[in-house]
């Protein structure tokens, strides 16, 4: 999750959002953002079953993809924060960071924060931002307990849907980690992310 400017650090932004204040302090400063639990709205989510939790309009670029830009990649991220704190950061208009989707660890709940037609600021590379869908996963790169079966399966079903709807092959050339974005200084999803398992789940979900 980072600014669309080339030198911004996603981890710095995420952690910077909480420096000098605990998560409770952040929620207290922006209570409607951190505590709201919006339900899905007809016509707002692109992925059936997702919960619409919109990012601030200051944190992404309105567009008309795929006509404006082709969608060539799905970029896999790990939040380095909790699900709820990540949503609060995306909803903070000062943070200049967002992703299209966030997947919750405990149960695989999918939150959609940016419409797929719009450009989320997640990759740290403007060219890749314009041509990708960003999926954040609740957890930390060095805490594999957050990579639950529910998270893997829910995310894989989402990615299978994205690949089918946007005509992407299910392979590692089109489903990439944040660390593989050119110019990235990030390590997520990290060495503990099970790519072999994930691609098998995406393939299986696409056959259903």
């Amino acid at each position: 999750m980072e600014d669309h400017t080339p030198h911004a650090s996603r981890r710095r932004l995420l952690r910077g959002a909480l420096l000098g204040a605990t998560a409770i302090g952040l929620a207290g400063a922006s209570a409607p953002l951190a505590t709201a639990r919006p339900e899905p709205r007809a016509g707002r989510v692109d992925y059936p079953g997702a919960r619409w939790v919109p990012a601030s309009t200051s944190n992404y670029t309105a567009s008309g993809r795929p006509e404006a830009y082709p969608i060539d990649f799905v970029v896999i991220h790990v939040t380095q924060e909790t699900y709820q704190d990540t949503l609060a950061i995306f909803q903070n208009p000062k943070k200049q960071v967002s992703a299209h989707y966030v997947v919750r660890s405990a149960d695989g709940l999918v939150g959609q924060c940016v419409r797929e037609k719009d450009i989320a600021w997640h990759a740290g590379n403007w060219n890749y931002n314009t041509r990708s869908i960003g999926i954040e996963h609740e957890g930390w790169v060095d805490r594999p307990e957050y990579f639950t079966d529910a998270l893997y399966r829910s995310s894989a079903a989402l990615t299978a849907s994205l690949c089918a709807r946007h005509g992407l092959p299910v392979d590692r050339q089109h489903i990439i980690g944040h660390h593989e974005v050119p110019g990235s200084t990030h390590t997520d999803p990290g060495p503990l992310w099970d790519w072999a398992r994930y691609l098998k789940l995406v393939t299986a979900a696409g056959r259903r």
Side-chain angles (χ1 to χ4, degrees):
M1 288 174 249
E2 72 286 299
D3 191 338
H4 60 293
T5 57
H7 300 297
S9 165
R10 185 172 61 123
R11 183 172 296 181
R12 173 175 54 79
L13 283 167
L14 278 170
R15 294 190 174 178
L18 299 178
L19 277 176
T22 62
I24 294 173
L26 176 62
S30 306
L33 300 180
T35 61
R37 296 181 180 177
E39 294 302 316
R41 301 179 191 174
R44 297 303 297 272
V45 295
D46 295 301
Y47 179 64
R51 176 173 293 175
W52 179 240
V53 280
S56 168
T57 56
S58 297
N59 294 339
Y60 64 89
T61 300
S63 187
R65 303 187 310 169
E67 289 78 14
Y69 299 94
I71 295 175
D72 297 325
F73 306 101
V74 176
V75 181
I76 302 299
H77 301 266
V78 171
T79 61
Q80 298 295 108
E81 284 296 346
T82 66
Y83 175 86
Q84 196 62 36
D85 286 344
T86 299
L87 297 180
I89 291 166
F90 288 173
Q91 292 172 325
N92 185 329
K94 297 181 180 180
K95 295 305 164 188
Q96 296 192 310
V97 59
S98 63
H100 294 91
Y101 294 98
V102 185
V103 182
R104 193 161 67 187
S105 172
D107 56 4
L109 176 70
V110 175
Q112 182 170 2
C113 304
V114 178
R115 292 294 304 273
E116 292 174 18
K117 69 182 182 66
D118 295 326
I119 301 166
W121 299 346
H122 64 99
N125 175 315
W126 178 246
N127 180 41
Y128 272 68
N129 278 346
T130 62
R131 298 190 294 127
S132 65
I133 302 288
I135 306 177
E136 288 281 357
H137 297 82
E138 180 184 23
W140 284 260
V141 296
D142 57 350
R143 297 175 65 180
E145 65 270 23
Y146 275 87
F147 302 156
T148 62
D149 185 64
L151 178 140
Y152 272 120
R153 290 182 181 278
S154 179
S155 176
L158 169 60
T159 294
S161 174
L162 293 171
C163 289
R165 289 187 285 110
H166 296 291
L168 301 181
V170 177
D171 60 33
R172 289 284 284 112
Q173 286 69 53
H174 297 86
I175 304 170
I176 65 174
H178 188 188
H179 69 288
E180 295 172 297
V181 173
S184 175
T185 59
H186 301 277
T187 63
D188 59 308
L192 301 179
W193 180 263
D194 191 338
W195 279 109
R197 176 186 181 190
Y198 188 67
L199 267 292
K200 287 180 181 179
L201 289 171
V202 174
T203 300
R207 291 173 178 161
R208 293 173 191 159

